[in-house]
Amino acid sequence: MKKRIAIIGSGFSALASASYLAKEGHQVTIYEKNDTVGGRARQYKKDGFTFDIGPTWYWMPDVFERFFNDFDKKPSDYYTLEKLSPAYKVVFSETESILIEDTLTKIYAAFEAEEKGSSKQLEKFITKAKSNYDIAIKDLVYRPGVSPLELITPETIKKIGAFFSTISKDVRKQFNNEKLIQILEFPVLFLGAKPSNTPAFYSFMNYADFGLGTWHPKGGMYQVVLGMKTLAESLGVNINTNANVEEILVQNNSATGLVVNGDTITADIVLSGADYHHTETLLPLKLRQYSETYWSKKTFAPSALLFYIGFDTPIINVEHHTLFFDVDFEEHSKAIYDDPQWPENPLFYASFPSKTDSSVAPKGKEAGIFLIPLAPGIEDTEAIRETYFKKIMTRFENLTNQTVQKNVIFKETYCLNNFIEDYNSYKGNAYGLANTLFQTAFLRPKLKSKTVKNLYFTGQLSVPGPGVPPSLISGKLVAGLIQKHNKN
């Protein structure tokens, strides 16, 4: 039986679920509070510069291919991909940096040059990581987190130890060089937790990094959003922007529609791709599954302070993606996870998409995005933002041997208050709920409400977790659950 389905939000998971549900013949309508689609993956344009406001890394191309293949399409029908070479650069000091190239052979050589014998260790490590990737991405993450039995397969039983060791322990058993350890621990940051709290099984992120490479969609990550929007609309999905959802209507403990900009919208099924915590505040208190205490005890992935900068000259000694690991990673991570506060000396990341893509900056100029990972829930003021801009730009100039602050045409900032205002983000988090051992699969907030019939959730606070590829998968999983329950 075909249903009227109202979807809150238009991020990756919402757009994905909308397409799957429309393909099954349902009448699907999206309600997005902002003026453009994409959720956290929006775009900012100014003076001929184009910036991705949200995600800037395109990893796991196979997940995107699998998504579009489900509709007899492929990514190239909507956007053009380029594999980055090098994938990224890691800067440790004014004189020390390591390039992560675009093939395993080159990466093995880079490790060997840094620490004799490490290439053989890396080869073994990546072989195991690939095995984990095959199990996780081809099977486990496409399960809806309904039951712990989903995790029990002949393959996972063989890997049981990898769920109870950690990435940090595994890496440090095999490598001694601190720089190489930091590079191997870096991909875990996409999962939103410290390497010391992340199961070793998640080394599959290292295979995603080294084995599958880093890609760039021409025009930026927003081209992926536009491709998904085009696909959804071609399947009959209606998309409404500037449509703020103020209430989820419930009758006899069953979702019956939404209040949008003061108007009542009726629906047979409500699906939220918005912030999970916020979505539950749209319900009467007695119908919320998770209390404020529940959320306050969860480990959230970081928030971020971001700067979008137009430079009047090309920036030298950097790559498209450049990581600055010149300070103590452990100290910074304590300020995120253990004792939430502004870090004294933060690690930071910079992206210069105009190094690869001439369409995102005027000729002879450079588009730069700088990001500092932060604890959610800390104070956010313009004065603090400016202090940290000066901190990282001074370091950036020293580390890359150039002066750039005089070349800033403009800069825009984005931080916790913006995440709350634009996305109703819990404590201003940027990446959702971290993937720790006790926040994995069936231990994450459920895709289907336990208290309200015909109410579902999708996205980075639910199954399978944070990141763009998991969001695509989350959309598929919740659409499958809706179809299953609709048939019964």
Side-chain angles (χ1 to χ4, degrees), residues 197-260:
N197 287 340
T198 304
F201 181 74
Y202 283 103
S203 69
F204 66 72
M205 291 296 292
N206 295 102
Y207 178 71
D209 178 0
F210 292 174
L212 298 177
T214 303
W215 301 73
H216 174 73
K218 185 172 171 52
M221 285 292 286
Y222 196 65
Q223 298 307 308
V224 184
V225 171
L226 293 179
M228 293 179 70
K229 174 179 181 280
T230 299
L231 171 64
E233 289 178 330
S234 75
L235 293 162
V237 176
N238 295 306
I239 300 175
N240 297 296
T241 53
N242 296 305
N244 186 40
V245 176
E246 297 154 345
E247 185 182 349
I248 296 172
L249 298 172
V250 180
Q251 216 168 23
N252 299 324
N253 288 357
S254 185
T256 58
L258 304 171
V259 176
V260 182

Side-chain angles (χ1 to χ4, degrees), residues 2-71:
K2 305 312 177 190
K3 302 286 188 180
R4 291 168 302 167
I5 301 176
I7 299 181
I8 307 171
S10 67
F12 285 109
S13 57
L15 287 171
S17 59
S19 291
Y20 283 111
L21 291 165
K23 182 185 175 188
E24 295 297 331
H26 299 292
Q27 182 186 322
V28 182
T29 305
I30 286 173
Y31 299 93
E32 165 58 55
K33 76 183 283 285
N34 294 308
D35 57 6
T36 58
V37 298
R40 296 171 193 235
R42 293 182 299 148
Q43 199 175 55
Y44 170 61
K45 291 189 174 189
K46 183 171 181 176
D47 298 345
F49 292 84
T50 300
F51 303 89
D52 283 313
I53 290 179
T56 55
W57 293 77
Y58 190 105
W59 272 10
M60 302 185 188
D62 51 325
V63 174
F64 294 87
E65 287 163 16
R66 185 165 171 176
F67 168 73
F68 284 108
N69 287 345
D70 284 343
F71 304 92

Side-chain angles (χ1 to χ4, degrees), residues 265-307:
I265 309 293
T266 58
D268 301 308
I269 291 169
V270 171
L271 166 59
S272 179
D275 179 276
Y276 204 124
H277 168 271
H278 168 73
T279 302
E280 290 222 308
T281 68
L282 303 177
L283 293 166
L285 189 60
K286 65 179 182 181
L287 294 178
R288 298 173 194 174
Q289 304 169 88
Y290 305 109
S291 66
E292 289 299 317
T293 303
Y294 170 90
W295 291 111
S296 68
K297 288 180 178 176
K298 290 294 167 188
T299 301
F300 273 79
S303 188
L305 169 57
L306 291 134
F307 300 100

